[in-house]
Amino acid sequence: MFSKQSLLLFSLSFVHLIGIKLFTGGFLLARQSLSQFSDCSTQPCTIPPTHKRAVILVIDALRFDIVTSDPPSPPSPFHHNILTFPREITTKNPHNSFLYNAYADPPTTTLQRIKGIATGSLPTFSDAGNNLGGSSIAEDSILKQLRLSGKKIAFMGDNTWMSVFPEEFTPNVTFPYDSLNVEDLHTVDKGVIAHLFPLLGDKSKPFDLLIGHFLGMDHVGHRIGPDHPRMKAKLEQMNEVLRRVVQLLDDETLLVVLGDHGMDNLGNHCGDTVLETSSALWIYSKGPPLMQTSTPIPSGLLEYEIFPGTTVPHRHIQQIDLVPTISLILGLPIPFNNLGSIIPETFWRGHNGEHLAQALDINGAQVKRYLNAYRSSPAGHELDHVWDVLQSSWVNAQSSSATSHSGLVQRFNYNRVALAACRKIWAQFNLVSMGFGLGLLGLGVGSAWSAYSGIANAKDGWEGWLSSQHTVSLCGGVVGAVVGIVARYILGIGNISWALLFIPFTFCVTFIIRSPPRITLDAFKLTPYLLMLHSATFSSPSLAVWEDRLVVFLLFACVIPHVFTGLTVQSSPLRSRILGFSLLFAVCVKLMSVSTVCREEQQPSCHVTFFGTSTSPPITALILAVPVAFALPLAILRFLKISGSDAGLTRPFLPLILTPSLVGGAGYWIMEWADSASVLGDEWCPTLRLARTWLARSAFTLAFIIGSALWWLSPLCLDVKVVNDPKPRRVTVVGLPNAYGSSYLLFLMISFALLYLTIQLAGQLVLALAAVAVLAYLELLDSVREAKAKATKFVLTTSLTTNNPPAIPYQSLPLQFSNTLVFPLLGILAFYGTGHQPTISSLQLKSAFLLHPTVVYPFSRITLVINSLGSFFVMAMAAPLVAIWGHAPTSQSSAPTRRYLVRNITLAALGVIIYYSTLLFGIAVGATMLRHHPLVWKILAPRYVAGAVEMIVVDVALLIGVGAGGVVFKSHE
């Protein structure tokens, strides 16, 4: 029955996919990777070493203010002035020890920062998504240079290093540990300590470079935030580790301690805020001083910055500056792709700074070779508009005296000019690809609107109209496929994406030409102004960050016309229903909007309410979680009783499937809080972990497997009552007035329960409110439909006062586009209300450990995806309810009735697609127009990625929802 509709939705999904791929390929460009490596055989590319070996200790998420003597005011008792050993050594030995605020280039994910620390290269925005699945890199690195020089590299800690550099480490001194189990605060650190000290104490020194990567601090931040006693304990542990490391160091070993990135106030990272990009870097030489002259270092070589909340400027460097610095200190060539500059203090030796001049010359020559090679690569055109600036800076650097202060500054500045230029060019765009992608996304919107208006206007003949549209449009798609194949494989034009472009392009053009949307006065009156307003906000980044507030206003605007309808209704009971459900809907929306997680750009006008303290739930959520989990099924039952649909499958499903699943979800997150906060003491933590794991697995199984099987076997929410007295004998079917809607609602509750399980406590309250809002809106529309039918003397599709509804003049009650707007808006509001933002750092990694204490694929990814995108999925799949709620099967003219309802389901699905695709198109247009805006990568690029993923999720949800609707209709035949 639903083959035509499913084919239409699938075709539109294909259009969206190709449009997204083309636009993304032009908007989120990746940097060209060069495989060359530095070689000193033809020219000098290093200097004599000052140290034989180095120890690099990475304390994951070590933010600069944690180690400084001037922390923000007021200082935190949990992470400030605790890790004090580096600053104590620096104060005592100012020529041997240096403490820096190192800028970690975003995205501040561990994988990308490891690449930067080892290669000196820059990440791009598109690298961010690779953090959970890193692959080896072919670029030159300090590890590769050590291996080429016959050196030994010891490693212990985060196994991400092994995925990036699988062949660089010496086997018998390599000890990797799983890095993704954020709930494990100690295993990795204990493993590093167990192997670190014996290697440092080994007189034979079986390493030339030792890398230890501690993860405990990062995991504490992710799990419970930086303001917690466990963070203090972890920092105390690291402080003692560093003391012992220094005791075991010999005079020929350089010590480097750094954070790969920082963390925000909630303990998260991945973004580009100051707190996330400010990492600590400590360099210490126990032996010879790194700075050996009394002459002051030129001020032009030293960069300072004031950390937020402090008053004293601190030395500021780029984190990638570590790469050329360590390379030359160890007498190695600087990696070929490096864009960092040597840290001046570590080479300020000799008369008039000749040692620093030599190091800067080698550093500058290496950067120049890299830029020349990049210029000669297939991506060399990216440098065109900055090449003259780079050449001019190089000439200025070479024309000045090497040992003069101005000459040193000019050489240093060349490296910084090159770095700034490369940061800029890797934000360049392929406008051709973006243009075609944008055009295809626009055609997708036009095709969906053409389909919507064509099906609505065809009325009874909509199936025939859609069949003819399919035939011609699919023929157009076939022609496009032939053209694409010829262009790709015969003419050699473009890649496979360009070949695929022709298929959706010809499909959409054919579809729109055959059925252009009718532009009439009535159509103009029905123009979706709310959708246009929503899309227009992405023309300004400062407006886009307030999307969470805008959708509240739009949702209120959706029900205002119905309120006016209710005020004009003559029937008092009907007026009360319309106004009552409108009020209930508005209250639910307002309460949902109370839960917030604020972006940096929203400060100080936004306050976080999703969390209580740090990442702990607010006390209100802890108190209400279990009562709400019990109350929501009762509320659903109360709504179903309105139409007598509390029969059949409803009776076992709500108390035996839905209620235990919701309570299990609440119980899991309460135990997670008790475990994280050590409410019962540390000795109970393993028991709590085991108990909540099995509770989550039980709830997941109950909802997904048992709930799905029960619904599939018996989806009817009907009951039969036989009345023998008074005679004659009567048979009454209970639940018939809303038979379709109630059955589909229970199917929807399966997905809802899975989402509920993955969401933290405050978010569960938001989801419960969203569910009530949907039901209130459906009853509101049913009441408005009844009022309009009475006003025009039409018979209702279903009657709330009889179990035997009369024949239905179905053509008289068309589904309006405005009726579908609520569902995408509720999906977006639920996304924000459940603690999310369109930023990488807002990912709730705790949900990846729902079904297992460690990362287990694919389950960890599945639960993380459900947590992040489930609100869009569930609300999109709820849209068909607007077409079938309050409609009953009839004995007379059943085929026309089903045809009418199927048409409305299709229109509801198309309405949701139009909304999300228009939003995506608006975001893409805004990103294109503002591609050179300083906030494009901070705001619009993440929102575009979120919008693209939302579109794909919604397409899948609607395909499933339309298919489920077919099952509902078939079961009632």
Side-chain angles (χ1 to χ4, degrees):
M1 178 184 293
F2 277 75
S3 59
K4 296 183 183 65
Q5 299 80 276
S6 298
L7 181 59
L8 173 62
L9 298 182
F10 181 80
S11 300
L12 291 174
S13 301
F14 183 69
V15 173
H16 299 151
L17 280 173
I18 302 302
I20 289 170
K21 180 171 178 56
L22 287 172
F23 187 85
T24 303
F27 183 51
L28 304 180
L29 289 178
R31 174 175 54 85
Q32 176 73 41
S33 177
L34 303 182
S35 59
Q36 293 99 313
F37 60 92
S38 297
D39 183 6
C40 297
S41 59
T42 59
Q43 56 190 337
C45 63
T46 190
I47 58 177
T50 59
H51 292 74
K52 287 186 176 181
R53 64 191 67 87
V55 173
I56 300 178
L57 299 181
V58 180
I59 302 178
D60 210 292
L62 182 63
R63 202 171 64 203
F64 173 71
D65 61 307
I66 292 174
V67 300
T68 182
S69 58
D70 178 41
S73 180
S76 168
F78 301 109
H79 59 264
H80 288 141
N81 299 316
I82 298 169
L83 184 54
T84 59
F85 185 66
R87 75 191 195 205
E88 294 170 3
I89 292 291
T90 302
T91 302
K92 294 178 183 178
N93 305 280
H95 288 179
N96 295 65
S97 179
F98 303 95
L99 197 57
Y100 300 100
N101 180 357
Y103 177 80
D105 286 280
T108 49
T109 56
T110 295
L111 175 65
Q112 279 62 54
R113 295 319 317 140
I114 287 176
K115 290 180 179 179
I117 292 167
T119 66
S121 61
L122 296 177
T124 60
F125 184 89
S126 57
D127 290 333
N130 298 325
N131 194 51
L132 294 180
S135 58
S136 61
I137 60 174
E139 289 181 313
D140 195 8
S141 67
I142 191 171
L143 304 183
K144 184 171 185 176
Q145 289 296 333
L146 282 161
R147 183 171 61 83
L148 292 174
S149 301
K151 307 291 186 179
K152 297 179 180 179
I153 309 174
F155 172 76
M156 57 221 63
D158 185 345
N159 64 350
T160 306
W161 287 84
M162 304 301 298
S163 65
V164 181
F165 304 105
E167 300 178 355
E168 308 297 353
F169 298 106
T170 305
N172 60 336
V173 285
T174 300
F175 310 98
Y177 293 86
D178 177 45
S179 62
L180 294 179
N181 184 8
V182 297
E183 297 202 348
D184 186 345
L185 309 183
H186 306 295
T187 298
V188 177
D189 291 358
K190 289 179 179 178
V192 174
I193 292 170
H195 298 289
L196 173 64
F197 295 140
L199 281 175
L200 289 177
D202 192 331
K203 299 297 183 181
S204 66
K205 300 301 177 186
F207 64 88
D208 298 286
L209 176 67
L210 185 152
I211 299 175
H213 193 139
F214 295 91
L215 278 175
M217 181 179 167
D218 179 70
H219 287 185
V220 171
H222 280 303
R223 189 174 180 197
I224 47 184
D227 291 305
H228 192 276
R230 290 193 181 185
M231 180 64 78
K232 181 178 181 180
K234 181 57 63 177
L235 289 172
E236 289 172 343
Q237 179 190 31
M238 292 296 100
N239 203 50
E240 291 306 310
V241 165
L242 295 183
R243 287 184 187 277
R244 189 173 174 190
V245 167
V246 169
Q247 291 173 359
L248 294 173
L249 280 182
D250 59 26
D251 292 348
E252 296 178 325
T253 302
L254 180 74
L255 174 63
V256 178
V257 179
L258 74 153
D260 54 341
H261 48 72
M263 67 170 71
D264 62 19
N265 287 327
L266 296 177
N268 297 319
H269 57 91
C270 296
D272 61 353
T273 66
V274 174
L275 297 182
E276 293 168 277
T277 58
S278 298
S279 65
L281 175 62
W282 177 39
I283 299 178
Y284 174 59
S285 171
K286 191 174 182 179
L290 296 171
M291 192 165 65
Q292 296 179 344
T293 178
S294 58
T295 306
I297 193 168
S299 60
L301 298 174
L302 307 179
E303 301 163 314
Y304 289 87
E305 191 167 287
I306 297 177
F307 189 87
T310 66
T311 57
V312 178
H314 299 93
R315 266 293 275 127
H316 184 263
I317 63 171
Q318 306 298 309
Q319 190 182 71
I320 59 174
D321 292 346
L322 183 64
V323 175
T325 301
I326 292 183
S327 296
L328 295 185
I329 286 177
L330 296 180
L332 298 169
I334 300 174
F336 186 83
N337 296 272
N338 166 72
L339 285 168
S341 183
I342 59 170
I343 301 173
E345 293 95 323
T346 59
F347 295 94
W348 188 240
R349 298 186 291 275
H351 181 66
N352 290 331
E354 63 268 15
H355 200 76
L356 176 59
Q358 184 183 7
L360 283 172
D361 281 338
I362 290 173
N363 190 185
Q366 170 268 314
V367 172
K368 186 68 167 63
R369 284 194 300 273
Y370 170 66
L371 294 177
N372 289 338
Y374 201 92
R375 175 78 163 169
S376 302
S377 73
H381 62 277
E382 297 172 5
L383 289 170
D384 287 347
H385 70 288
V386 297
W387 190 251
D388 290 342
V389 175
L390 292 171
Q391 290 294 88
S392 175
S393 181
W394 174 255
V395 170
N396 291 337
Q398 297 304 305
S399 62
S400 56
S401 171
T403 57
S404 67
H405 282 197
S406 61
L408 294 173
V409 172
Q410 290 281 11
R411 284 162 168 75
F412 183 81
N413 285 345
Y414 169 72
N415 296 337
R416 287 295 187 246
V417 169
L419 176 61
C422 288
R423 278 183 176 146
K424 184 177 180 181
I425 67 169
W426 289 324
Q428 295 302 302
F429 312 94
N430 184 335
L431 293 180
V432 175
S433 182
M434 288 176 66
F436 277 104
L438 196 61
L440 197 52
L441 291 174
L443 286 174
V445 176
S447 298
W449 187 254
S450 292
Y452 187 96
S453 60
I455 292 173
N457 293 327
K459 297 184 179 179
D460 271 355
W462 71 272
E463 288 182 307
W465 176 90
L466 186 56
S467 295
S468 65
Q469 281 289 101
H470 273 317
T471 301
V472 177
S473 299
L474 290 177
C475 287
V478 171
V479 173
V482 173
V483 174
I485 292 172
V486 171
R488 173 68 180 95
Y489 296 103
I490 297 179
L491 302 180
I493 300 175
N495 56 27
I496 189 65
S497 296
W498 292 101
L500 290 174
L501 164 67
F502 292 98
I503 302 175
F505 179 81
T506 53
F507 172 86
C508 290
V509 170
T510 306
F511 203 104
I512 294 173
I513 290 176
R514 275 187 53 84
S515 177
R518 297 183 182 181
I519 303 176
T520 63
L521 180 61
D522 288 337
F524 181 75
K525 288 179 180 178
L526 295 175
T527 300
Y529 295 107
L530 300 182
L531 174 55
M532 294 170 61
L533 176 62
H534 195 170
S535 300
T537 60
F538 300 106
S539 62
S540 169
S542 58
L543 292 177
V545 298
W546 294 104
E547 185 184 20
D548 54 343
R549 305 289 177 86
L550 174 65
V551 293
V552 177
F553 163 76
L554 297 179
L555 282 165
F556 286 155
C558 286
V559 298
I560 288 176
H562 303 312
V563 173
F564 285 120
T565 299
L567 293 174
T568 60
V569 170
Q570 298 299 319
S571 170
S572 179
L574 199 54
R575 181 169 59 251
S576 298
R577 290 188 67 216
I578 293 175
L579 296 179
F581 285 126
S582 297
L583 178 62
L584 178 59
F585 177 84
V587 170
C588 289
V589 168
K590 181 59 180 177
L591 292 176
M592 288 174 67
S593 69
V594 171
S595 176
T596 58
V597 171
C598 303
R599 296 178 62 111
E600 178 190 26
E601 299 83 6
Q602 293 177 315
Q603 302 294 347
S605 302
C606 181
H607 303 284
V608 177
T609 58
F610 183 79
F611 299 108
T613 58
S614 190
T615 58
S616 299
I619 188 65
T620 305
L622 282 169
I623 295 173
L624 295 179
V626 173
V628 167
F630 277 106
L632 180 58
L634 296 177
I636 295 172
L637 183 64
R638 181 66 186 88
F639 276 98
L640 292 177
K641 278 186 177 181
I642 295 174
S643 56
S645 300
D646 55 331
L649 179 63
T650 304
R651 290 174 179 170
F653 190 92
L654 291 181
L656 301 181
I657 302 295
L658 184 60
T659 300
S661 298
L662 301 187
V663 173
Y668 173 89
W669 289 105
I670 289 174
M671 284 193 283
E672 193 280 333
W673 162 76
D675 184 1
S676 300
S678 297
V679 174
L680 303 178
D682 290 341
E683 64 275 9
W684 279 91
C685 289
T687 303
L688 287 172
R689 173 67 260 192
L690 180 64
R692 62 188 168 99
T693 297
W694 281 104
L695 181 61
R697 290 174 180 175
S698 301
F700 194 95
T701 302
L702 181 63
F704 184 60
I705 299 178
I706 301 178
S708 299
L710 186 61
W711 184 85
W712 180 264
L713 293 173
S714 179
L716 302 179
C717 297
L718 303 175
D719 200 0
V720 177
K721 288 186 177 181
V722 179
V723 180
N724 294 312
D725 187 33
K727 295 182 179 181
R729 185 170 179 264
R730 290 184 297 122
V731 178
T732 304
V733 180
V734 178
L736 200 61
N738 192 25
Y740 295 136
S742 58
S743 178
Y744 188 89
L745 177 65
L746 296 187
F747 172 76
L748 179 67
M749 286 297 105
I750 297 171
S751 299
F752 180 85
L754 297 181
L755 172 61
Y756 200 93
L757 177 61
T758 66
I759 295 294
Q760 298 181 45
L761 294 177
Q764 290 180 349
L765 303 185
V766 171
L767 289 179
L769 290 168
V772 174
V774 167
L775 293 170
Y777 183 71
L778 293 172
E779 288 296 331
L780 169 62
L781 286 184
D782 192 54
S783 301
V784 169
R785 188 167 58 235
E786 181 180 352
K788 290 182 177 180
K790 284 185 176 181
T792 55
K793 299 182 180 180
F794 284 125
V795 182
L796 271 175
T797 300
T798 56
S799 172
L800 299 176
T801 60
T802 176
N803 290 319
N804 296 289
I808 307 165
Y810 51 90
Q811 300 92 338
S812 65
L813 300 172
L815 180 72
Q816 300 294 332
F817 175 75
S818 58
N819 297 151
T820 65
L821 296 183
V822 162
F823 298 96
L825 289 171
L826 276 177
I828 296 171
L829 181 60
F831 170 78
Y832 287 111
T834 51
H836 298 93
Q837 285 281 348
T839 58
I840 301 174
S841 57
S842 72
L843 287 174
Q844 297 175 9
L845 297 179
K846 288 182 178 182
S847 61
F849 303 91
L850 185 75
L851 302 177
H852 200 276
T854 60
V855 173
V856 176
Y857 298 111
F859 301 107
S860 295
R861 286 182 176 176
I862 289 173
T863 52
L864 181 59
V865 168
I866 293 174
N867 171 277
S868 304
L869 304 171
S871 59
F872 303 109
F873 184 92
V874 170
M875 290 302 161
M877 207 160 66
L881 282 169
V882 77
I884 59 178
W885 192 264
H887 292 275
T890 60
S891 58
Q892 300 176 353
S893 304
S894 59
T897 302
R898 287 198 302 272
R899 190 181 305 119
Y900 156 71
L901 294 177
V902 171
R903 183 190 71 164
N904 276 2
I905 286 179
T906 306
L907 291 176
L910 287 171
V912 174
I913 286 177
I914 290 170
Y915 200 99
Y916 277 107
S917 60
T918 304
L919 272 192
L920 179 60
F921 180 71
I923 298 168
V925 169
T928 302
M929 293 171 53
L930 302 172
R931 60 188 181 276
H932 296 301
H933 193 284
L935 294 178
V936 67
W937 299 114
K938 193 178 185 68
I939 297 174
L940 292 181
R943 185 61 184 92
Y944 165 74
V945 173
V949 176
E950 289 166 18
M951 188 72 257
I952 295 171
V953 168
V954 166
D955 284 337
V956 173
L958 290 172
L959 282 168
I960 296 174
V962 169
V967 174
V968 170
F969 280 106
K970 186 175 181 179
S971 66
H972 288 82
E973 289 181 352

Short mmCIF file of all heavy atoms in Angstrom, two decimals, residues 919-949:
data_model
loop_
_atom_site.label_atom_id
_atom_site.label_comp_id
_atom_site.label_asym_id
_atom_site.label_seq_id
_atom_site.Cartn_x
_atom_site.Cartn_y
_atom_site.Cartn_z
N LEU A 919 15.38 24.26 6.34
CA LEU A 919 16.35 24.69 7.36
C LEU A 919 17.77 24.41 6.89
O LEU A 919 18.65 25.26 7.00
CB LEU A 919 16.09 23.95 8.67
CG LEU A 919 15.10 24.55 9.67
CD1 LEU A 919 15.23 23.81 11.01
CD2 LEU A 919 15.32 26.02 9.86
N LEU A 920 18.00 23.19 6.39
CA LEU A 920 19.33 22.84 5.93
C LEU A 920 19.76 23.74 4.79
O LEU A 920 20.92 24.19 4.73
CB LEU A 920 19.36 21.37 5.49
CG LEU A 920 20.69 20.85 4.93
CD1 LEU A 920 21.80 20.98 5.97
CD2 LEU A 920 20.55 19.39 4.49
N PHE A 921 18.85 24.01 3.87
CA PHE A 921 19.15 24.91 2.76
C PHE A 921 19.49 26.31 3.29
O PHE A 921 20.44 26.95 2.84
CB PHE A 921 17.96 24.97 1.80
CG PHE A 921 18.17 25.88 0.63
CD1 PHE A 921 19.06 25.55 -0.39
CD2 PHE A 921 17.47 27.09 0.53
CE1 PHE A 921 19.25 26.39 -1.48
CE2 PHE A 921 17.66 27.93 -0.54
CZ PHE A 921 18.55 27.58 -1.56
N GLY A 922 18.72 26.79 4.28
CA GLY A 922 19.00 28.10 4.85
C GLY A 922 20.34 28.16 5.55
O GLY A 922 21.08 29.15 5.44
N ILE A 923 20.69 27.09 6.27
CA ILE A 923 22.00 27.04 6.93
C ILE A 923 23.11 27.04 5.89
O ILE A 923 24.12 27.74 6.04
CB ILE A 923 22.10 25.79 7.82
CG1 ILE A 923 21.05 25.83 8.93
CG2 ILE A 923 23.49 25.68 8.43
CD1 ILE A 923 20.89 24.50 9.67
N ALA A 924 22.93 26.25 4.83
CA ALA A 924 23.96 26.19 3.78
C ALA A 924 24.11 27.53 3.08
O ALA A 924 25.23 27.96 2.78
CB ALA A 924 23.61 25.09 2.77
N VAL A 925 23.00 28.21 2.82
CA VAL A 925 23.08 29.54 2.21
C VAL A 925 23.81 30.51 3.14
O VAL A 925 24.68 31.27 2.71
CB VAL A 925 21.66 30.06 1.88
CG1 VAL A 925 21.71 31.55 1.49
CG2 VAL A 925 21.04 29.26 0.76
N GLY A 926 23.45 30.47 4.44
CA GLY A 926 24.12 31.34 5.40
C GLY A 926 25.61 31.06 5.49
O GLY A 926 26.43 31.99 5.54
N ALA A 927 25.98 29.78 5.50
CA ALA A 927 27.40 29.42 5.57
C ALA A 927 28.14 29.86 4.31
O ALA A 927 29.30 30.26 4.38
CB ALA A 927 27.53 27.90 5.76
N THR A 928 27.47 29.79 3.16
CA THR A 928 28.09 30.23 1.91
C THR A 928 28.28 31.74 1.90
O THR A 928 29.36 32.24 1.56
CB THR A 928 27.23 29.80 0.72
OG1 THR A 928 27.06 28.38 0.73
CG2 THR A 928 27.88 30.20 -0.59
N MET A 929 27.25 32.46 2.28
CA MET A 929 27.34 33.92 2.28
C MET A 929 28.37 34.43 3.30
O MET A 929 29.07 35.41 3.04
CB MET A 929 25.96 34.51 2.61
CG MET A 929 24.90 34.28 1.56
SD MET A 929 23.26 34.78 2.15
CE MET A 929 23.58 36.46 2.69
N LEU A 930 28.45 33.74 4.43
CA LEU A 930 29.32 34.22 5.52
C LEU A 930 30.57 33.35 5.66
O LEU A 930 31.13 33.24 6.74
CB LEU A 930 28.54 34.20 6.84
CG LEU A 930 27.25 35.04 6.85
CD1 LEU A 930 26.47 34.80 8.13
CD2 LEU A 930 27.59 36.52 6.70
N ARG A 931 31.02 32.74 4.56
CA ARG A 931 32.13 31.78 4.64
C ARG A 931 33.42 32.43 5.11
O ARG A 931 34.32 31.73 5.59
CB ARG A 931 32.33 31.09 3.30
CG ARG A 931 32.67 32.02 2.14
CD ARG A 931 32.66 31.26 0.82
NE ARG A 931 32.99 32.11 -0.31
CZ ARG A 931 32.12 32.89 -0.95
NH1 ARG A 931 30.86 32.91 -0.54
NH2 ARG A 931 32.50 33.62 -1.96
N HIS A 932 33.55 33.74 4.98
CA HIS A 932 34.74 34.42 5.46
C HIS A 932 34.51 35.13 6.78
O HIS A 932 35.39 35.86 7.26
CB HIS A 932 35.24 35.43 4.41
CG HIS A 932 35.67 34.79 3.12
ND1 HIS A 932 36.68 33.84 3.07
CD2 HIS A 932 35.22 34.94 1.85
CE1 HIS A 932 36.84 33.45 1.82
NE2 HIS A 932 35.97 34.09 1.06
N HIS A 933 33.34 34.93 7.36
CA HIS A 933 33.03 35.53 8.66
C HIS A 933 33.88 34.85 9.73
O HIS A 933 34.09 33.63 9.70
CB HIS A 933 31.54 35.35 8.97
CG HIS A 933 31.05 36.18 10.12
ND1 HIS A 933 31.32 35.86 11.44
CD2 HIS A 933 30.32 37.33 10.15
CE1 HIS A 933 30.76 36.76 12.23
NE2 HIS A 933 30.14 37.66 11.47
N PRO A 934 34.40 35.61 10.70
CA PRO A 934 35.27 34.99 11.72
C PRO A 934 34.59 33.93 12.56
O PRO A 934 35.25 33.10 13.18
CB PRO A 934 35.69 36.19 12.60
CG PRO A 934 34.72 37.28 12.29
CD PRO A 934 34.30 37.07 10.86
N LEU A 935 33.25 33.91 12.59
CA LEU A 935 32.53 32.93 13.41
C LEU A 935 31.97 31.76 12.60
O LEU A 935 31.21 30.96 13.13
CB LEU A 935 31.38 33.62 14.16
CG LEU A 935 31.77 34.64 15.23
CD1 LEU A 935 30.54 35.27 15.85
CD2 LEU A 935 32.62 33.99 16.31
N VAL A 936 32.35 31.67 11.32
CA VAL A 936 31.75 30.62 10.50
C VAL A 936 32.12 29.24 11.01
O VAL A 936 31.29 28.32 11.05
CB VAL A 936 32.16 30.79 9.01
CG1 VAL A 936 33.65 30.53 8.82
CG2 VAL A 936 31.34 29.85 8.14
N TRP A 937 33.37 29.04 11.46
CA TRP A 937 33.78 27.71 11.93
C TRP A 937 33.30 27.45 13.34
O TRP A 937 33.14 26.30 13.75
CB TRP A 937 35.30 27.57 11.86
CG TRP A 937 35.79 27.71 10.46
CD1 TRP A 937 36.57 28.70 9.94
CD2 TRP A 937 35.51 26.82 9.36
NE1 TRP A 937 36.78 28.50 8.61
CE2 TRP A 937 36.16 27.35 8.23
CE3 TRP A 937 34.78 25.65 9.23
CZ2 TRP A 937 36.09 26.75 6.98
CZ3 TRP A 937 34.71 25.03 8.00
CH2 TRP A 937 35.36 25.58 6.89
N LYS A 938 33.06 28.52 14.06
CA LYS A 938 32.64 28.36 15.45
C LYS A 938 31.14 28.10 15.57
O LYS A 938 30.69 27.38 16.46
CB LYS A 938 33.00 29.64 16.23
CG LYS A 938 32.93 29.54 17.73
CD LYS A 938 33.35 30.86 18.34
CE LYS A 938 33.40 30.77 19.86
NZ LYS A 938 34.46 29.89 20.35
N ILE A 939 30.36 28.67 14.64
CA ILE A 939 28.90 28.60 14.77
C ILE A 939 28.25 27.92 13.58
O ILE A 939 27.55 26.91 13.72
CB ILE A 939 28.32 30.02 14.96
CG1 ILE A 939 28.84 30.64 16.26
CG2 ILE A 939 26.79 29.98 14.96
CD1 ILE A 939 28.45 32.08 16.46
N LEU A 940 28.46 28.44 12.38
CA LEU A 940 27.72 27.96 11.22
C LEU A 940 28.19 26.59 10.74
O LEU A 940 27.36 25.77 10.32
CB LEU A 940 27.81 28.98 10.08
CG LEU A 940 27.07 30.30 10.34
CD1 LEU A 940 27.20 31.22 9.14
CD2 LEU A 940 25.60 30.05 10.64
N ALA A 941 29.49 26.34 10.76
CA ALA A 941 29.97 25.02 10.30
C ALA A 941 29.44 23.89 11.19
O ALA A 941 28.91 22.90 10.67
CB ALA A 941 31.49 25.01 10.24
N PRO A 942 29.53 23.99 12.52
CA PRO A 942 28.94 22.93 13.35
C PRO A 942 27.43 22.82 13.16
O PRO A 942 26.88 21.71 13.17
CB PRO A 942 29.30 23.34 14.78
CG PRO A 942 30.46 24.26 14.65
CD PRO A 942 30.27 24.97 13.35
N ARG A 943 26.75 23.97 12.97
CA ARG A 943 25.30 23.90 12.78
C ARG A 943 24.96 23.26 11.44
O ARG A 943 23.94 22.55 11.32
CB ARG A 943 24.68 25.31 12.88
CG ARG A 943 23.14 25.30 12.81
CD ARG A 943 22.56 24.52 13.96
NE ARG A 943 21.10 24.40 13.91
CZ ARG A 943 20.45 23.40 13.33
NH1 ARG A 943 21.14 22.42 12.75
NH2 ARG A 943 19.14 23.34 13.34
N TYR A 944 25.78 23.50 10.43
CA TYR A 944 25.54 22.85 9.14
C TYR A 944 25.71 21.33 9.28
O TYR A 944 24.89 20.56 8.77
CB TYR A 944 26.49 23.37 8.07
CG TYR A 944 26.51 22.47 6.86
CD1 TYR A 944 25.45 22.45 5.97
CD2 TYR A 944 27.57 21.57 6.65
CE1 TYR A 944 25.43 21.58 4.90
CE2 TYR A 944 27.56 20.70 5.58
CZ TYR A 944 26.49 20.72 4.70
OH TYR A 944 26.47 19.84 3.64
N VAL A 945 26.77 20.91 9.94
CA VAL A 945 26.98 19.47 10.13
C VAL A 945 25.80 18.87 10.88
O VAL A 945 25.29 17.80 10.51
CB VAL A 945 28.31 19.22 10.88
CG1 VAL A 945 28.45 17.75 11.23
CG2 VAL A 945 29.49 19.67 10.03
N ALA A 946 25.36 19.55 11.95
CA ALA A 946 24.21 19.05 12.70
C ALA A 946 22.96 19.01 11.81
O ALA A 946 22.20 18.03 11.84
CB ALA A 946 23.96 19.94 13.91
N GLY A 947 22.75 20.05 11.00
CA GLY A 947 21.59 20.08 10.12
C GLY A 947 21.62 18.98 9.08
O GLY A 947 20.58 18.39 8.77
N ALA A 948 22.80 18.68 8.55
CA ALA A 948 22.93 17.61 7.55
C ALA A 948 22.60 16.25 8.17
O ALA A 948 21.88 15.44 7.59
CB ALA A 948 24.33 17.61 6.96
N VAL A 949 23.13 16.02 9.37
CA VAL A 949 22.86 14.75 10.05
C VAL A 949 21.39 14.66 10.44
O VAL A 949 20.76 13.60 10.31
CB VAL A 949 23.77 14.60 11.29
CG1 VAL A 949 23.43 13.33 12.05
CG2 VAL A 949 25.23 14.59 10.88
#
